[in-house]
Amino acid sequence: MRLRALLDTDALGLRLLGGEDELDRTVRGVMTTDLRDPSRYLSGGELVLTGLAWRRDAADSEPFVRILVQAGVAALAGGEAELGDIPDDLVLACARHRLPLFAVHESVAFATITEHVVRQVSGERAGDLAAVVDRHRRMMTSGPAGGGPDVVLDLLGSDLDLRAWVLSPTGRLIAGTKVSGPGLPTDVCAKLAAEHLAAARTGRRGPHRVTVGPPTYSLFPIRSSGRSTQASRDVRETVLSDWLLAVEADAGDWPAERLDLLQGVTQLISVERDRRDASRTVRRRLAQEVLELVQTGAAPAEIAARLRVAAPVLLPGLGAAPHWQVVVARVDWAGGDIEAGPVAQSLLEEILVDPLATGPEPSDRIAVAHTGDEAIALVPLPAVSAEHDGSEAGILADALLESVRDPLSAGLDDDGQVTLGVSAAVHSAEGLRGALEEARHARRVAAARPGRVCAAGHQELASHVLLLPFVPDDVRRAFTARLLDPLRDYDRRHRAELIPTLEAFLDCDGSWTRCATRLHLHVNTLRYRVGRIEQLTSRDLSRLEDKLDFFLALRMS
């Protein structure tokens, strides 16, 4: 707003004492002060209100005015409540420095002027910001994005003093305003995501207001631009995949214009969300191609060729991935014909990202396909020891859900379930089919458990479960390979006869003397071989459970 508009507002009780030629100056804010040097609190464009308590004698006016001019303030307004008329020395100092000077009638409180200026400036800034947002939206719709959601969030921070963050449905921080600082604590992010998902399931329209600690947040849904007009669709088809905008403010008393502006911001961010989804097309297609080859029983050489193509995309700069894991996820809803595959795919891409990571980049190394209601991730792993099959490395099922269980449970309410299964690491294309079936079976184990969000890993497929008739042959083979392949590989390289030693040791019920006699070995040599078996497999042959696992693996091999 301009100074002239303030002078024309009778309710403010302003009287111009000097600076008639400067009334077209723009006012960008207001500050009340009685400090002799308020420069540290000035950023330029303010209307400074003062009760003149800083003035002890006439010599104080000149330095005070000089400080204001150097800080770039728009004008000075002095109150008449304490000293009566504004001193002539202050009028002359303002005239010398071409600083507009107003007198404030004693009947008008500084708070009245402050409220008026803030309301007018905020409204004008909102209009300016709306124009910027609209222009940015058109640019993003027609061409490459100019900085993503961070740009528009920075506009909210600089022009409306709003701290805002974009969060994933699991509560991962995706973007935030620069004035927001380092970001929200992870527990607050998870709480906001949970509150948003719970509100969305009730069908309430956003923004949803929630208090977490002292601050109040307003939560705006960010829906995919391709789905935003399809209000009749079941909310369960999108609730677990939509982002949200969290604003540290209570939007309950906002005018319609500001609410419309924030809705425009969410639409702008949704365009960027769709653009990033589209950028995952290559990775998703690679995962889909590998999945189809594995499920149709293609030759290992053909699968290996596709893996060599996928590895540089998912692990840029590292070449081929020596080990892979398979993660299977499924979203199930009670009743209704709901398409869950795409949501499971998007959700699995999100779950596989480190919960402490920020921004979209970590998800750019994850390839997830979906078939029916099931999502399947092909996860490359860094190199592990050449004498270890990697079964203890990589993704752990429980760790995947540790930080996302509460938000997802809120979104699932009482009629949905998310289940995940994680395979052991495999080091060749031949092992992928077994790994896929192992992950699928682990997911079925998770689905049998109580709870809305459950996971199971290959470690939980205990040996006695393998005896059950519904366990697929590929799972049995994967179990056998995980235990015996390291021993076979070692025997092939060193002619160490670890497999025959293991068989004899089990047949002799773990008796060192009988086994050594049977193999015509010294007991110390036998102990060395058994120690090597335990080292390669991370098992303990003094434990009954591990003896039983080896016994079953040998019988099924």
Side-chain angles (χ1 to χ4, degrees):
M1 66 179 302
R2 300 188 183 279
L3 291 174
R4 192 181 306 279
L6 289 175
L7 191 61
D8 292 341
T9 304
D10 294 336
L12 299 183
L14 296 179
R15 181 164 50 90
L16 184 65
L17 300 180
E20 295 85 350
D21 297 336
E22 305 293 334
L23 291 180
D24 287 328
R25 289 187 181 185
T26 299
V27 179
R28 300 185 181 279
V30 62
M31 190 192 82
T32 300
T33 185
D34 277 313
L35 295 174
R36 297 172 66 86
D37 181 2
S39 57
R40 72 183 68 180
Y41 304 109
L42 297 171
S43 58
E46 295 92 350
L47 169 65
V48 174
L49 305 175
T50 180
L52 304 179
W54 51 266
R55 183 182 177 278
R56 298 169 185 171
D57 54 45
D60 290 336
S61 293
E62 174 67 22
F64 181 79
V65 171
R66 187 184 309 115
I67 288 171
L68 299 187
V69 171
Q70 289 173 349
V73 303
L76 174 65
E80 297 178 325
E82 293 294 330
L83 302 180
D85 292 339
I86 303 299
D88 290 340
D89 49 90
L90 181 58
V91 175
L92 292 175
C94 288
R96 279 194 297 272
H97 292 279
R98 302 180 62 83
L99 179 66
L101 175 64
F102 297 96
V104 182
H105 194 273
E106 62 181 7
S107 64
V108 178
F110 282 175
T112 301
I113 300 174
T114 299
E115 181 181 354
H116 177 82
V117 172
V118 169
R119 185 169 58 250
Q120 295 298 316
V121 170
S122 177
E124 291 177 3
R125 283 183 176 177
D128 293 342
L129 180 58
V132 173
V133 168
D134 184 65
R135 181 169 65 253
H136 199 63
R137 182 191 300 115
R138 291 196 301 270
M139 290 172 60
M140 291 180 67
T141 303
S142 60
D150 300 273
V151 172
V152 70
L153 294 185
D154 285 342
L155 289 174
L156 289 178
S158 62
D159 284 30
L160 295 184
D161 296 327
L162 290 177
R163 288 158 47 90
W165 301 265
V166 176
L167 304 178
S168 77
T170 64
R172 183 173 65 88
L173 181 64
I174 294 171
T177 53
K178 291 179 180 178
V179 297
S180 302
L184 292 173
T186 54
D187 59 333
V188 175
C189 290
K191 177 68 173 176
L192 294 178
E195 293 287 346
H196 169 73
L197 292 175
R201 286 303 312 274
T202 65
R204 289 191 287 119
R205 296 184 59 185
H208 313 302
R209 288 174 290 162
V210 57
T211 300
V212 180
T216 295
Y217 299 88
S218 297
L219 310 178
F220 295 80
I222 301 174
R223 299 185 176 90
S224 169
S225 59
R227 301 189 302 257
S228 58
T229 59
Q230 304 181 29
S232 61
R233 296 185 63 171
D234 194 315
V235 67
R236 293 176 294 180
E237 293 187 20
T238 60
V239 68
L240 298 182
S241 59
D242 287 335
W243 288 356
L244 67 136
L245 174 67
V247 181
E248 190 180 307
D250 188 344
D253 57 353
W254 281 5
E257 293 80 5
R258 179 167 286 203
L259 288 173
D260 289 344
L261 172 61
L262 267 293
Q263 294 296 345
V265 170
T266 64
Q267 293 170 14
L268 179 58
I269 296 173
S270 74
V271 173
E272 176 66 10
R273 166 70 189 273
D274 291 345
R275 194 181 303 280
R276 290 177 178 176
D277 278 348
S279 71
R280 296 180 178 178
T281 301
V282 172
R283 296 184 296 280
R284 288 175 171 177
R285 186 172 64 246
L286 285 172
Q288 197 74 41
E289 291 174 353
V290 174
L291 174 63
E292 290 174 358
L293 290 173
V294 170
Q295 293 191 127
T296 56
E302 187 176 0
I303 299 174
R306 297 309 301 162
L307 290 178
R308 284 193 294 271
V309 172
V313 176
L314 302 177
L315 292 173
L318 298 183
H323 290 81
W324 299 85
Q325 268 182 293
V326 176
V327 182
V328 174
R330 184 181 173 102
V331 178
D332 291 291
W333 300 101
D337 185 13
I338 299 172
E339 185 182 8
V343 172
Q345 181 182 42
S346 176
L347 186 60
L348 184 54
E349 289 172 334
E350 178 62 36
I351 289 174
L352 288 173
V353 177
D354 183 343
L356 298 180
T358 59
E361 292 78 9
S363 62
D364 289 344
R365 297 187 177 185
I366 297 167
V368 183
H370 79 84
T371 173
D373 291 336
E374 189 178 67
I376 301 168
L378 187 66
V379 182
L381 300 178
V384 295
S385 170
E387 294 187 348
H388 196 285
D389 72 342
S391 59
E392 302 300 324
I395 296 171
L396 299 177
D398 289 339
L400 284 178
L401 299 181
E402 183 176 351
S403 63
V404 303
R405 182 172 277 108
D406 289 345
L408 293 183
S409 296
L412 294 163
D413 199 11
D414 60 353
D415 61 346
Q417 186 183 41
V418 169
T419 52
L420 282 85
V422 181
S423 79
V426 295
H427 61 276
S428 65
E430 291 90 338
L432 274 182
R433 182 170 177 81
L436 174 59
E437 293 303 327
E438 187 174 56
R440 281 174 165 163
H441 183 59
R443 192 207 62 78
R444 289 194 290 270
V445 171
R449 295 173 173 170
R452 292 295 169 192
V453 183
C454 300
H458 61 92
Q459 303 94 334
E460 300 175 68
L461 301 182
S463 56
H464 67 275
V465 177
L466 298 174
L467 300 176
L468 300 177
F470 69 85
V471 180
D473 289 341
D474 283 326
V475 175
R476 300 170 190 260
R477 286 194 292 270
F479 175 82
T480 300
R482 190 163 66 252
L483 277 179
L484 301 185
D485 276 359
L487 306 182
R488 290 169 176 153
D489 292 342
Y490 192 89
D491 282 347
R492 187 167 51 251
R493 293 195 305 272
H494 303 285
R495 298 182 180 181
E497 298 188 335
L498 296 184
I499 291 291
T501 300
L502 176 62
E503 290 177 326
F505 187 75
L506 294 175
D507 286 345
C508 294
D509 297 325
S511 169
W512 296 100
T513 303
R514 285 164 46 201
C515 184
T517 300
R518 177 173 174 175
L519 294 175
H520 307 290
L521 297 174
H522 192 278
V523 172
N524 288 343
T525 303
L526 176 62
R527 291 185 184 278
Y528 173 82
R529 289 188 183 181
V530 171
R532 176 62 68 179
I533 291 171
E534 292 174 336
Q535 180 185 11
L536 292 173
T537 61
S538 299
R539 298 296 184 111
D540 183 357
L541 278 168
S542 67
R543 298 178 67 249
L544 177 61
E545 295 89 340
D546 288 342
K547 288 179 181 177
L548 180 58
D549 283 351
F550 278 121
F551 176 82
L552 290 170
L554 289 168
R555 292 298 178 269
M556 292 188 294
S557 64

